[in-house]
Amino acid sequence: QEVRALRLVRTGRVLYDEELLGLMGVFEDRGHAGALLAEACVQAIRSADLVYAIPRGGVPVAVPVAGALGAELDLLICRKLLIPWNREAGFGAVSPDGHVYVDQRLARALGLTREEVREAIDEQLREVAQRNERLRGGRGYPRLDGKRVVLVDDGIAAGYTMGAAAKFVRARGASELVIAVPTGHLEAVLRLAELADLLICLNLRSGPVFAVADAYRRWRDLTDEDVLRALKRAR
């Protein structure tokens, strides 16, 4: 798809496209969103050392971003803690180093027991290890001292996964952290911006109901095979 001219506005640490503010259905698919996001990243930071894609959905978005910035591309496997009776929603996240973040206020409001919280944590820690084996060959993560790192996903809803990823990158010593997503909920974006030097979100939206998929005209859940194919093409 043709990449249109962006109209970027910066407010504090957040950079967004004023023409896409509050709109739905603005991206054809993740590839189109990635092309637009790549252009915004080039305008904002020009280059980076490393782009971490959050799989699965962040991978096709991150491929053009890494290419445009001349950066190494890798996967950062963090997982949302899933509510037992609503597997689309979460109440926290885990990162590759085993760090766990639980939104305790939400967990209490949901009436989750300690056992349910522990089961959700254990499930996702296993999933992180399994996906790291499948998608990264079981490799560990390096130190990031002195590096500018860009974290990419296909969108931010509650922001639990991206928050875990940002804290992981900071703990690894990155000197500069940029979060870059095509779409995001305003409240979560503002909260996550406190963890980054810059947060680029082209399509900012607000309101009580938010779905990342609503920013895309064509949307589907991706598989591990989709991720591996995208990485192969990128190489």
Side-chain angles (χ1 to χ4, degrees):
Q1 294 91 348
E2 182 179 354
V3 178
R4 66 167 180 81
L6 302 175
R7 296 186 62 180
L8 300 176
V9 175
R10 180 163 180 170
T11 302
R13 298 182 185 181
V14 177
L15 187 71
Y16 66 96
D17 188 320
E18 64 178 358
E19 288 193 351
L20 302 184
L21 189 63
L23 301 180
M24 293 192 291
V26 294
F27 308 116
E28 184 63 30
D29 54 21
R30 290 181 178 92
H32 177 220
L36 290 171
L37 190 61
E39 175 60 28
C41 286
V42 169
Q43 289 188 33
I45 63 172
R46 297 184 180 271
S47 65
D49 299 296
L50 175 63
V51 169
Y52 270 136
I54 298 179
R56 299 183 178 103
V59 177
V61 180
V63 168
V65 172
L69 294 175
E72 177 187 353
L73 175 64
D74 198 356
L75 306 182
L76 182 49
I77 303 174
C78 295
R79 292 288 296 167
K80 180 169 60 181
L81 298 177
L82 302 178
I83 298 171
W85 56 88
N86 181 1
R87 304 284 289 180
E88 297 300 316
F91 64 95
V94 298
S95 57
D97 58 359
H99 179 80
V100 178
Y101 169 72
V102 176
D103 186 334
Q104 297 289 356
R105 186 172 62 175
L106 178 56
R108 286 193 298 270
L110 292 168
L112 293 172
T113 66
R114 289 185 180 180
E115 291 75 17
E116 287 172 325
V117 171
R118 186 70 253 173
E119 287 172 5
I121 292 169
D122 290 344
E123 177 190 18
Q124 296 310 321
L125 288 174
R126 289 193 300 269
E127 187 65 24
V128 166
Q130 290 167 3
R131 288 197 182 191
N132 190 57
E133 189 65 37
R134 288 197 300 267
L135 302 177
R136 299 183 69 254
R139 291 181 291 116
Y141 287 90
R143 292 287 305 174
L144 300 172
D145 302 87
K147 294 187 181 298
R148 172 187 278 169
V149 179
V150 182
L151 281 171
V152 178
D153 205 349
D154 55 11
I156 293 171
Y160 294 130
T161 305
M162 184 61 79
K167 291 172 184 175
F168 177 82
V169 168
R170 288 295 198 195
R172 291 272 155 169
S175 62
E176 186 174 354
L177 171 60
V178 177
I179 295 173
V181 292
T183 188
H185 191 280
L186 177 60
E187 183 178 331
V189 164
L190 292 177
R191 186 171 63 252
L192 288 168
E194 296 301 313
L195 302 177
D197 296 284
L198 176 66
L199 195 155
I200 302 170
C201 179
L202 298 181
N203 170 231
L204 271 178
R205 289 181 281 138
S206 59
V209 178
F210 180 92
V212 168
D214 287 342
Y216 297 85
R217 295 188 286 274
R218 288 194 291 124
W219 173 271
R220 68 179 180 88
D221 291 333
L222 302 182
T223 65
D224 287 347
E225 288 69 31
D226 292 323
V227 170
L228 292 170
R229 279 195 295 270
L231 293 174
K232 185 176 180 179
R233 286 195 299 269
R235 295 189 188 106

